Amino acid sequence: MTTQQLAQGIRLVEGHGGLAAVEVTTPSASALIYLHGAHVADWTPAGGKPVLWMSTFGVFSDTDPIRGGVPLCFPWFGPNGTDASAPNHGWARLSTWSLVDSRTLDTATGAVATELVFELTQDSVGVPAGFHPFTAHYTVTVGAELGLELSVRNDGATPFAFEEAFHTYFAVGDVTTSTLTGLETFDYTDRSTKPATEGSSLLPLGFTGDEIDRLYPMPEALELSDPANDRIIRAVSQGAAQTVVWNAGRIKAAAIADYGTDEWTETACAETCNVGAHFITLDPGATSTMQVTVTSTTTERNTKTMQRLSKSVVPAIAELPTKAIQFGEGNFLRAFVDWQLQQMNNQGLFQGGVKIVQPIEGGRVASLEEQDNLYTVLLEGLQDGKDVQSHEVITVVTGTVNPYVDNQKYLDLANDDNIEFIFSNTTEAGIAFDDRDRLNDKPQHSFPGKLTALLFERFSLGKKGFQIIPCELIEHNGDKLKESVLATAALWELDAAFVQWVNTDNTFYSSLVDRIVPGYPADRAAELAEEFGYDDQSIVKAEPFLLWVIEGPQSLTESLPLAKAGLNVTVTDDMTPYRERKVFLLNAPHTTMASIARLAGVETVRDVMIDPEFSQFVNAEMYDEIMPVIDLPHDELAAYAESVKERFENRFMHHELASIALNSISKYKSRLLPILVNFHEKVGTFPPRVTLALSALLLTYSGDAAVTVVPVDSDEVLATFHAAYATATATGSNVTADYVEAILSDDSLWGRDLTELPGLVAEVTTGLDNLRTLGARATIALLA
Ligand SMILES: O=P(O)(O)OC[C@H]1O[C@@H](O)[C@H](O)[C@@H](O)[C@@H]1O
């Protein structure tokens, strides 16, 4: 389009590397968009800071993708499935788009915005010759909000399949203080592991320097807090099934040429996408649209009228001797370990404080120090049948140590005779031996490296050892930590006497932690400041429930009298049944609900629990089918089941069944199948509700167009089900039974041939037929 036709406030300019770009200036915002990739490189609301991050190491050429802003990923996301030499994230971000329209809009709020439309077709520069005919229009609306809309039309005569993503890099002052909310209780696929693994984020989504690369279902809204810039960035999408959250972290940032080593602290990607199992298929002539609207809201801190939390706000805080060291200053430890130490202190049972060591360079102990190490824990949820909403200022933190700033201060902790305990939560990746660590590093890179240095200092001073209780969410965390310490000692060729002291004078406990901690309540910060009468930038929100199972000697119950303080803490010599109790009484009903209740249109865990028929169904599954096969006393199981039901009912949590449904087949295998098999062995029949969940999954995964619930699983798993159903439909007269038989006999899905269990095929078939003909609600009524 020619310059005369451009709407007001738009100029064609030469951007970095001589690349053609469009500069937009409106009263409410400015923006810069490259024609190369239709790449939005800047959107800055008037009077504010840029909301999109750009790398200062970016390469600008017509053959490279631009690092930062909004890379547009199309027609695939990530590596190409069949051609390893094809560009990552597709060629749309490397192609030359044309500006085909621009105009000035009056928005609903009366503010003026500018809309630009970019086009890409199979004839554009950068689109491979002979590619499927299509027309893509990318509409960028620049105003007080940033709007991005990609519409793709299939101009060919055959169906057109593709993936798409807005790979938005948001700018934040310090990502380690940011939290991404909207995803708290969602399950996700962790793409940073090879192969990808499945995870569930009971912990809030923060950024610590480990790579985060996760695929989540798209929530109603994503909110990225940016406390360093006093703002919240909010993204609301439409027509997008998923979001990918990506932060390169320290190691990957250093390995990417156009990404500065420390730049991972300045940005977080919260993307809008349809990828993997949610790829788009368009019939000839059809169009699909994906949209996101981004806003940036200044957070009111009330700093003028409201004082910041400090010792002057909370009078008469008792001086406490430091009895514990804690590696990690994150939300979880502060709302879990420190909150519990405080409960013991409140009852005169511990009389000790904790020094927090920042385990990674980009941490946030400095912001705790700004508040004299005080912060508020906010508990919200149901407990013992009552609605709990309470808050308490936590006063047990006696100080913080940043070994990256003062390593000697860190090593000096070894000299303190009062210190008896060490707690840690350094993320799942934190407990790992690192052969780059050296004894004289200041400090060592890894957590086990730092801990070994501290232990060696303690040993050299001739002092007693520690009781070490890690909280990382990995099995046998204590054993793994000890192994890593011993491997580090071997690497550093430390004395055999030291190794013996580690083994005999120190106790490494393994522990299982459970408490949902959504973290900083960014959306309610101003309101809470008003309520509390002070401004606290380190508030942590958590559910009232907690569970801590610690494997190790009983003497711990005396030195750390958590249970005596009324806390739900068990010290045991074998935590296996407790781990099973959680998997089978919490995770297994989750999977059952996601399989069956979704078929009846129920959307969240809470909705299941307030629905009389479904909650009764879940209750019966827990009591009559699951509890009989777990090897723990009935009273203990019943108490746990009741607490789980309260957590399921928590009105402050919005836990989508769709997110739990992710990868349901492997979840069924690990969570429900052991119950089905053990129950059958013990009782001689199949547990009806657990079995019905299997029927529901087979129905959902069949690919039958009449089923509107969409399964989200790996391509291989989906293909297996679709193929079995297609074959049964094409060949058999007993379609359902043939399909069930084919799936149950597939040991690649279940680890064994389930048709060997006599009668199971018939029972699953009946369930599937009932679900199909009667519907989920009437089917569960048959079991009531
Ligand atoms: O370096 P690229 O090609 O722009 O990709 C950056 C990242 O993009 C993310 O969206 C992916 O999930 C990551 O796996 C990838 O590393």
Side-chain angles (χ1 to χ4, degrees), residues 385-399:
K386 283 188 223 96
D387 219 353
V388 173
Q389 247 190 315
S390 66
H391 70 273
E392 178 174 3
V393 175
I394 303 303
T395 56
V396 295
V397 182
T398 51

Side-chain angles (χ1 to χ4, degrees), residues 591-601 614 617 689 692-694 696 771 776-777 780:
T591 296
T592 304
M593 294 177 195
S595 315
I596 303 175
R598 278 207 316 154
L599 290 171
F614 275 107
F617 180 85
R689 294 162 187 86
L692 189 64
L694 185 55
L771 288 168
R777 206 169 270 286
I780 67 164

